[in-house]
């Protein structure tokens, strides 16, 4: 740092301010210091900085699994938002054991400044002690111990269901997500509420596990019933399995059966036929989650109430 200061003709304190992205440096001086850093190959020593400041500039991420498209898309968004703020990530997956308390312990051992809990793991967060972690939970009921953000899954499900009914489908069947998932429960709730509001009989939902394979298995059963004319799947992967099952059974889409998914994953428009779906804004969720964690770490801000992002129905050929 002394060498950078000498090369740039500034004080060591000014170099420190540039390294720590302080606003108290004019642009010309900042450019001169950054040029000196580049010429000398200077890199901040993060471990030393952590010892001095008590902060590692690392955010923990807890996920049940990264095998689902939604979780991996949200993790990507969190990683990008963290990088722009100069934070690294430490990722812990729970697997089938689902011991979130152990995950929090591991993150404490790694010295993270705060943590974000994704999707299915949010249910477990309610029963574990975050032990002082600045915590943000995605898709969870309100809890005074942490900040909560998420998508308004129920509103998205209502829009999907209304779309199918408005196109003359007398009954809308639902391929639900796994039990214990907050997002799956909210999507099922929205589907039920829309049918009830229209005075339409609510068929029993059939549960999958978010995978295309489970969608195909359930879709084969629904395809065998000629009275089934509309299916709302709780995510796009399961909807993909449904599309294949309907095609295998000779059911035309959307003439015989209309299908709607949820998430609007990158490949949804490339399905055959292109999938009508409810689009989640994973980028905005990641940005919001990281912003809240960093705000609590750096500014000690109290956790706000739940901030729900409203998803958008994207209509394509499948409905």
């Amino acid at each position: 740092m002394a060498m950078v200061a000498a090369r740039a003709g500034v004080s060591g304190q000014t170099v420190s301010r540039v390294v720590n992205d302080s606003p108290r440096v004019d642009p010309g001086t900042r450019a001169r210091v950054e040029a000196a850093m580049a010429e000398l190959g200077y890199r901040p020593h993060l471990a030393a900085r952590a010892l001095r400041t008590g902060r590692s500039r690392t955010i923990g991420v807890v996920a049940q699994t990264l095998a689902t498209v939604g979780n991996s898309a949200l993790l990507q968004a969190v990683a990008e938002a963290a990088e722009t703020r100069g934070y690294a990530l430490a990722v812990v997956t729970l697997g089938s054991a689902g011991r979130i308390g152990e995950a929090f312990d591991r993150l404490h051992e790694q010295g993270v400044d705060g943590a974000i809990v994704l999707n299915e793991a949010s249910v477990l967060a309610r029963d574990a002690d975050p032990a002082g972690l600045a915590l943000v939970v995605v898709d969870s009921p309100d809890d005074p111990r942490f900040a909560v953000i998420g998508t308004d899954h129920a509103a998205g499900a209502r829009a999907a269901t209304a779309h199918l009914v408005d196109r003359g489908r007398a009954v809308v069947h639902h391929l639900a997500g796994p039990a214990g998932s907050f997002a799956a429960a909210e999507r099922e709730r929205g589907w039920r509420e829309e049918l009830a509001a229209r005075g339409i009989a609510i068929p029993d939902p059939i549960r999958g596990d978010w995978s295309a394979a489970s969608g195909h298995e359930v879709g084969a059963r629904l395809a065998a019933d000629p009275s089934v004319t509309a299916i709302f799947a709780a995510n796009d992967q399961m909807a993909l399995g449904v599309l294949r099952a309907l095609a295998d059974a000779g059911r035309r889409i959307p003439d015989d059966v209309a299908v709607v998914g949820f998430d609007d994953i990158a490949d949804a428009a490339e399905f055959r036929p292109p999938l009508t779906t409810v689009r989640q804004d994973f980028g905005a969720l990641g940005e919001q989650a990281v912003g809240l964690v960093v705000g609590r770490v750096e500014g000690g801000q109290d956790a706000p109430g739940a901030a729900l992002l409203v998803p958008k129905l994207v209509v394509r050929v499948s409905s």
Side-chain angles (χ1 to χ4, degrees):
M1 187 176 286
M3 294 169 66
V4 170
R7 177 68 63 92
V10 299
S11 68
Q13 186 179 40
T14 298
V15 176
S16 178
R17 286 174 179 162
V18 171
V19 169
N20 289 288
D21 203 25
S22 169
R24 297 170 58 192
V25 183
D26 70 76
T29 301
R30 181 182 299 277
R32 204 161 68 248
V33 171
E34 289 175 345
M37 290 168 62
E39 291 168 10
L40 296 171
Y42 173 82
R43 296 289 184 276
H45 192 294
L46 297 182
R49 177 191 286 177
L51 287 172
R52 180 171 58 82
T53 65
R55 295 179 187 164
S56 65
R57 296 192 72 84
T58 301
I59 298 171
V61 177
V62 181
Q64 187 78 47
T65 175
L66 296 179
T68 62
V69 173
N71 280 2
S72 59
L74 185 51
L75 176 62
Q76 177 68 26
V78 166
E80 291 173 357
E83 183 177 6
T84 63
R85 290 171 170 81
Y87 278 74
L89 294 187
V91 181
V92 178
T93 56
L94 303 179
S96 58
R99 298 187 181 92
I100 198 168
E102 293 181 7
F104 288 154
D105 290 342
R106 288 171 60 188
L107 292 176
H108 268 298
E109 291 168 0
Q110 295 180 58
V112 303
D113 296 328
I116 299 169
V117 179
L118 305 186
N119 303 338
E120 292 89 349
S122 68
V123 176
L124 303 173
R126 300 199 301 268
D127 301 322
D129 181 7
L133 277 176
L135 195 63
V136 173
V137 178
V138 180
D139 289 338
S140 170
D142 285 340
D143 191 302
R145 297 171 302 160
F146 45 73
V148 175
I149 65 167
T151 296
D152 192 339
H153 301 282
R158 290 197 68 154
T161 307
H163 167 75
L164 289 167
V165 174
D166 289 344
R167 276 152 182 75
R169 310 293 170 153
V171 178
V172 178
H173 292 263
H174 183 43
L175 170 48
S181 165
F182 178 82
E186 286 296 286
R187 293 171 194 179
E188 182 178 333
R189 178 172 70 85
W191 164 74
R192 288 181 179 276
E193 287 179 352
E194 186 62 27
L195 292 181
R198 292 170 177 256
I200 297 173
I202 302 173
D204 292 333
I206 307 176
R207 206 165 294 285
D209 63 7
W210 297 129
S211 70
S214 71
H216 182 265
E217 179 184 351
V218 173
R221 282 187 272 163
L222 293 173
D225 182 351
S227 69
V228 173
T229 61
I231 301 171
F232 165 46
N235 79 335
D236 290 348
Q237 287 174 285
M238 293 194 297
L240 174 60
V242 168
L243 294 179
R244 180 189 158 208
L246 291 170
D248 289 347
R251 304 292 300 276
R252 297 171 301 163
I253 307 166
D255 304 72
D256 300 329
V257 185
V259 179
V260 177
F262 203 110
D263 285 337
D264 195 27
I265 63 175
D267 296 329
E270 308 305 324
F271 290 178
R272 178 173 289 183
L275 180 66
T276 294
T277 184
V278 179
R279 176 180 295 161
Q280 287 201 79
D281 191 340
F282 290 110
L285 278 174
E287 180 66 32
Q288 194 176 71
V290 172
L292 283 171
V293 167
V294 171
R296 298 190 72 192
V297 168
E298 297 183 355
Q301 300 170 8
D302 291 334
L308 297 182
L309 301 179
V310 179
K312 176 185 178 181
L313 180 70
V314 180
V315 179
R316 299 191 180 103
V317 178
S318 70
S319 64

